[in-house]
Amino acid sequence: MHEFTVAQSIVDSVLHEAEVRNATRVKEIDIEVGQLMQVDRRVLKDALTILITGPILKGAKIHLRVARARFSCRRCGHRWTMNEAKKQLSSISDKLLVREPDSRELPLHFLPYLYPAFLHCSRCGSSDVEVPEGEEIILRRLVMG
Ligand SMILES: [Zn+2]
């Protein structure tokens, strides 16, 4: 499951940070997950709870929040959010889409890194679109002991 893969990579980074800083305990973990990662926050939290074991991580508090995706135009600097982007994404020709059976979700679900390829700037029309926020997982804060 996608969420478990994401959770595992978070746990790996936390352990790495703890090791680098010679910490023996991690007490709190603040995580920000980009909207484009398409993770179910509840499932991710459950996965983390299962994976947080061992002397260093056991009992650590997890704070999880989803960071809204933002897009920006490299040509004119215009910025916009996922809501606006979804309108553009919903107008993609059906032939280009890989739909999941019984799903009305945006079919790009599993390929969020392709989003910018289907977007263009609503102000200047440029298709040189960047995703400065929303496609990554950030460890915002670790409280270690
Ligand atoms: Zn533009």
Side-chain angles (χ1 to χ4, degrees):
M1 204 198 284
H2 177 55
E3 278 79 5
F4 268 87
T5 314
V6 172
Q8 187 61 62
S9 68
I10 291 170
V11 167
D12 290 346
S13 324
V14 172
L15 282 174
H16 175 76
E17 290 300 320
E19 195 185 311
V20 167
R21 289 169 171 74
N22 288 319
T24 52
R25 283 291 305 273
V26 174
K27 293 170 185 161
E28 284 182 52
I29 307 169
D30 269 16
I31 307 152
E32 202 173 282
V33 179
Q35 194 177 20
L36 292 187
M37 292 300 295
Q38 302 272 14
V39 297
D40 183 318
R41 212 169 62 149
R42 225 185 45 235
V43 177
L44 179 59
K45 197 153 183 189
D46 287 349
L48 283 166
T49 308
I50 292 167
L51 291 172
I52 284 180
T53 54
I56 294 175
L57 297 182
K58 200 164 190 245
K61 276 203 193 94
I62 303 160
H63 309 283
L64 192 59
R65 83 176 197 95
V66 175
R68 296 169 75 89
R70 292 197 180 280
F71 303 90
S72 74
C73 172
R74 279 202 188 91
R75 201 167 101 187
C76 76
H78 180 54
R79 290 166 74 84
W80 64 99
T81 63
M82 194 63 195
N83 279 349
E84 205 181 322
K86 269 190 172 151
K87 282 183 214 147
Q88 287 183 23
L89 291 167
S90 64
S91 66
I92 298 168
S93 156
D94 262 357
K95 285 183 192 133
L96 290 172
L97 303 179
V98 185
R99 282 198 191 282
E100 289 181 77
D102 308 320
S103 171
R104 296 176 65 85
E105 277 273 309
L106 271 177
L108 291 175
H109 191 93
F110 294 110
L111 302 170
Y113 55 89
L114 283 182
Y115 278 29
F118 291 101
L119 297 173
H120 56 84
C121 173
S122 62
R123 191 199 277 166
C124 77
S126 168
S127 54
D128 196 355
V129 171
E130 186 183 22
V131 188
E133 290 158 51
E135 57 174 357
E136 52 193 3
I137 295 168
I138 300 164
L139 280 177
R140 276 276 169 234
R141 194 173 69 108
L142 290 176
V143 179
M144 298 189 270

